[in-house]
Amino acid sequence: MNLLTLDVETTMNAPEAMGKANPMYPGNTIVVLGTKLYNNDKYRDSVVGNDFTPKTPWNLDRLDLDFIVGCNISFDLLYCYKYSSEWKKHLLEQRIWDIQLVEYLLSAQQNK
């Protein structure tokens, strides 16, 4: 199974009413983008720091992914879409596994 785990850390410059880390606010940017690829019992890390550019640490069209995994991954994906049309193109074709949503559903919507 091929899994790509994705996490994005961002600035929080948006007005409070909008939500401080809102991906649609032009003043918010990615601070760190981290990924881990699990592929046939092997891991590969990739972290992009403050110099994040639309160039991607992964060439997604060459990966045969089963899932992209993250926690509250819709937030992370919105930032990826914002910065890279190539990532957006490939991410829209992938199956997504949001562990936060799964936990909520498995707990019969009891955990907050």
Side-chain angles (χ1 to χ4, degrees):
M1 181 168 288
N2 296 325
L3 302 173
L4 179 70
T5 305
L6 174 72
D7 187 37
V8 173
E9 301 302 325
T10 68
T11 57
M12 297 180 13
N13 298 321
E16 186 73 38
M18 229 181 147
K20 298 289 257 176
N22 190 315
M24 298 303 121
Y25 185 72
N28 280 340
T29 60
I30 293 175
V31 176
V32 175
L33 169 73
T35 60
K36 184 177 277 277
L37 177 65
Y38 173 79
N39 185 333
N40 299 326
D41 298 322
K42 295 180 183 173
Y43 290 99
R44 179 177 161 197
D45 291 317
S46 177
V47 176
V48 178
N50 295 340
D51 59 346
F52 182 79
T53 65
K55 295 178 182 173
T56 61
W58 296 97
N59 196 350
L60 291 178
D61 59 341
R62 293 188 182 162
L63 297 177
D64 182 25
L65 297 175
D66 294 304
F67 287 98
I68 297 177
V69 180
C71 184
N72 190 20
I73 197 164
S74 61
F75 174 84
D76 302 309
L77 292 176
L78 285 172
Y79 270 98
C80 291
Y81 295 169
K82 177 179 173 179
Y83 280 95
S84 174
S85 59
E86 280 300 307
W87 266 52
K88 182 176 182 178
K89 175 182 152 193
H90 294 293
L91 290 170
L92 288 172
E93 298 169 355
Q94 301 300 319
R95 291 185 288 176
I96 306 295
W97 186 265
D98 188 335
I99 63 170
Q100 182 178 353
L101 179 59
V102 169
E103 173 64 23
Y104 183 67
L105 295 173
L106 290 176
S107 70
Q109 304 175 4
Q110 298 300 307
N111 292 345
K112 298 183 180 184

